[in-house]
Amino acid sequence: MQRCVDYLKSIDPESPDLESNYEKRSAVERNFQLAIECAIDIGEIIISKEGLERPEDYRSVFRILGRHEIIPKEFAEKFAFAAGFRNILVHIYEEVDLDMLRKLLAENLKDFDTFAFYAAEYAEKLEE
């Protein structure tokens, strides 16, 4: 997840390349997809380890973690948006909005760092 997020942080959200350079845009979209899928996988591992209810969909992964106070509930709702964006990237890829992509690059990458912090905090509690 971190490698994907680091790559995304290296991209200027206002770069004209995002519109004109197919390879650059594809790389950005793919790294978003992989980062989100990594977060979902981490969440599913925690859910399984804790014996929590099975998620109905990818958004539910984060909501379940929030309901069980593994991550803050407010953050869980905010980060659940990432799962919806993953679905757009995978299933409705022709409709990925450039403005949305730019906004996520500019404003939401820190959410992955926040999620990683909570996942690490959870892992530390297991070691105690």
Side-chain angles (χ1 to χ4, degrees):
M1 181 172 75
Q2 193 61 54
R3 182 175 46 160
C4 295
V5 173
D6 287 345
Y7 171 77
L8 293 169
K9 287 178 179 178
S10 76
I11 302 299
D12 175 6
E14 297 305 316
S15 170
D17 283 354
L18 287 176
E19 189 168 4
S20 63
N21 185 320
Y22 177 80
E23 288 82 13
K24 172 85 79 168
R25 180 157 174 176
S26 296
V28 167
E29 290 176 4
R30 178 68 172 151
N31 277 273
F32 259 118
Q33 177 191 344
L34 292 174
I36 295 164
E37 288 178 355
C38 286
I40 291 167
D41 289 347
I42 291 166
E44 287 178 329
I45 290 167
I46 294 170
I47 288 169
S48 176
K49 178 93 175 143
E50 291 294 316
L52 304 176
E53 66 269 25
R54 184 180 170 102
E56 297 174 16
D57 54 28
Y58 292 137
R59 288 177 193 224
S60 299
V61 170
F62 304 114
R63 291 180 174 141
I64 290 168
L65 295 176
R67 249 193 324 274
H68 293 277
E69 299 178 355
I70 294 165
I71 62 177
K73 197 176 247 184
E74 185 177 308
F75 176 73
E77 284 302 318
K78 179 182 178 192
F79 201 53
F81 172 80
F85 185 58
R86 177 252 175 226
N87 291 339
I88 291 170
L89 289 168
V90 172
H91 301 293
I92 316 171
Y93 42 85
E94 291 182 7
E95 295 180 23
V96 175
D97 180 63
L98 182 60
D99 291 333
M100 179 190 293
L101 197 61
R102 290 181 194 277
K103 183 178 188 315
L104 291 170
L105 281 169
E107 299 174 12
N108 293 81
L109 294 179
K110 61 188 174 288
D111 292 342
F112 290 97
D113 296 331
T114 302
F115 180 77
F117 169 80
Y118 291 124
E121 190 175 64
Y122 170 81
E124 286 176 17
K125 288 178 185 176
L126 289 180
E127 293 175 7
E128 294 175 355

